[in-house]
Amino acid sequence: MSDDLTPRQIVSELDRDIVGQHDAKRAVALALRNRWRRRQLDEEIRRQVTPKNILLIGPTGVGKTEIARRLAQLVGAPFVKIEATKFTEVGYYGRDVESMVRELVEASILLVKAGERHRVEAEARERAEAKLLDLLLPDVPAPPRGAWSATPAGEVDEAAERRKRTREKMKARLAAGEMEDAEVEIVIPGRSMAPVSILGAGNTEQMEMDLQGMFEKLMPKPSHTRRMAVRDARPLLIEQEAEALLDPEKINRAAVALAEESGIIFLDEIDKIAGDEGSSRGPDVSRQGVQRDLLPIVEGTTVTTKYGPVRTDFVLFVAAGAFHRAKPSDLMPELQGRFPIRVELNDLTQEDFGRILREPRASLVRQYQALLGTEGLKLEFTEDAIDAMAEIAFAVNRSTQNIGARRLHTILERVVEEISFDAPDRRGKREVIDADRVRSVLAPLTEDEDLSRYIL
């Protein structure tokens, strides 16, 4: 999809998959549009315009991660979701914050490579078909021509013509799908070596990266031959030919540029590293340290990766957290300043739960209908059944832990569990779920608070 969508179009696209949270959608839509605006500026001022990072505040299951992920999908931007709790301060065992930038570049490599593969797909397919033809009808050396040859020139030309006709017939049969069961022998290249790790080192990511690159250059990849049917060999040959047509250096340069200009890093659970400088007991010892390490990444720095140096000045950071026990003001002032746009997401209402089950293109109801449809079973939900599930989800969230829309996964799984189990034996049948059936299945769990706490 085009990356020059208007804010209104972006919000409209997000509305197709995410219910509610209009303020958050507007904030990310503006952030995305500002990227397009920045690219229209003169080089002199463009260097001074940095992204306005966003802090999403709201309980779990209300759509924080989904908004950021869908936003990246809209424009084909590299996107990584990182849990802030996996990082530790330098000097403690754990991951260093620069690894998020390396993951972003890897995501960017995959995006660029997929685009390049699509570009060369037609040529790779042609080359693979030609290779299949060579394997089915190997070349034989032509007899020598000239005064010293024992074979008359006329016979040599006739044999070449005959072979050409045979090859054309074989090519036609291959195109018509008549040779799919014929066996050919192809060479399968070996896999790259696994990363070399040094045990006992606290932070070995850069060292692993360097050692892997060194060993890949020193040690060739082993390859082996396999016999297989044409139908199985074709995709492997297309893959090999596509790889041969790709320019790794060009892909790496484009991926680094894409990550720098369009990358989105989603920092989840950022509230878990917020806390007092004085609170340094137990696992909290590195909270302030992680914030200090995050600060230069978010402000803009250069990170070394195996694809080259990557600047984070124009990467968009979207942080999120429930902030039940901590407040955004508990973060370091410098880090707070790097997230100038703050949006509070709303708790989901009973009406929202109903809309979540009905409206999104891949709603849970549609997912279950599609899954059971593969068994030949037609599953239908009445309107009052959807209302009943929304009512129960809302009630259980209020009486126990509020896990937002994730509660619907548990409830729907309970409702369709018996149907799903018997589905292979009910091919061609039609199953209707109404409100009475929903309540009869869930009543024993919802009425017993202890059971609902542990099961729902």
Side-chain angles (χ1 to χ4, degrees), residues 16-234:
R16 299 175 67 185
D17 298 294
I18 303 163
V19 169
Q21 312 303 355
H22 189 66
D23 291 345
K25 291 173 184 174
R26 283 174 63 97
V28 296
L30 287 172
L32 200 63
R33 184 63 177 182
N34 281 335
R35 284 191 152 177
W36 177 85
R37 291 166 178 161
R38 177 181 168 272
R39 284 197 288 271
Q40 315 310 311
L41 300 175
D42 294 334
E43 180 64 28
E44 185 63 31
I45 191 171
R46 189 192 310 165
R47 290 198 300 266
Q48 310 302 321
V49 178
T50 55
K52 305 301 181 287
N53 298 322
I54 303 168
L55 178 61
L56 301 178
I57 304 165
T60 184
V62 296
K64 300 188 296 292
T65 308
E66 198 61 23
I67 286 173
R69 182 181 289 118
R70 295 283 179 181
L71 185 75
Q73 290 174 357
L74 277 180
V75 294
F79 172 85
V80 290
K81 176 181 179 289
I82 305 291
E83 305 288 336
T85 50
K86 73 166 63 171
F87 300 120
T88 60
E89 181 180 359
V90 173
Y92 292 90
Y93 183 80
R95 302 196 61 185
D96 74 286
V97 294
E98 290 186 352
S99 64
M100 71 173 77
V101 182
R102 297 188 188 109
E103 287 184 31
L104 182 68
V105 178
E106 293 290 348
S108 186
I109 289 282
L110 292 177
L111 273 178
V112 174
K113 189 174 280 190
E116 286 293 300
R117 282 182 190 279
H118 182 71
R119 186 180 63 81
V120 302
E121 184 178 6
E123 186 179 352
R125 187 173 293 276
E126 286 179 14
R127 290 172 63 162
E129 292 292 334
K131 200 163 187 177
L132 277 173
L133 198 56
D134 292 338
L135 293 169
L136 289 166
L137 192 67
D139 284 333
V140 293
R145 303 172 61 105
W148 300 100
S149 172
T151 308
E155 290 185 22
V156 173
D157 293 337
E158 186 181 339
E161 188 62 33
R162 191 163 53 246
R163 179 171 179 76
K164 184 179 178 183
R165 288 196 300 270
T166 305
R167 189 177 174 89
E168 288 299 323
K169 289 178 184 176
M170 182 74 74
K171 184 177 181 180
R173 292 182 65 193
L174 187 63
E178 297 174 9
M179 305 295 296
E180 295 299 290
D181 294 322
E183 286 199 342
V184 293
E185 191 173 88
I186 67 170
V187 178
I188 308 292
R191 296 182 179 179
S192 301
M193 290 183 56
V196 179
S197 179
I198 296 179
L199 298 176
N203 180 6
T204 62
E205 289 184 61
Q206 183 67 41
M207 196 173 295
E208 286 178 2
M209 185 175 68
D210 295 339
L211 286 174
Q212 184 179 6
M214 181 181 72
F215 277 98
E216 282 178 351
K217 290 175 182 175
L218 289 177
M219 302 185 68
K221 300 175 188 176
S223 60
H224 58 281
T225 58
R226 280 178 57 190
R227 289 193 66 81
M228 59 180 68
V230 165
R231 65 165 55 87
D232 298 322
R234 183 181 286 106

Side-chain angles (χ1 to χ4, degrees), residues 436-448:
D436 291 338
R437 185 162 186 172
V438 169
R439 291 196 170 92
S440 67
V441 171
L442 297 176
L445 301 177
T446 55
E447 289 170 4
D448 187 328

Side-chain angles (χ1 to χ4, degrees), residues 293-312:
D293 292 346
L294 274 174
L295 188 58
I297 303 288
V298 180
E299 282 185 334
T301 188
T302 301
V303 176
T304 303
T305 73
K306 65 180 180 180
Y307 304 106
V310 178
R311 294 175 58 202
T312 64

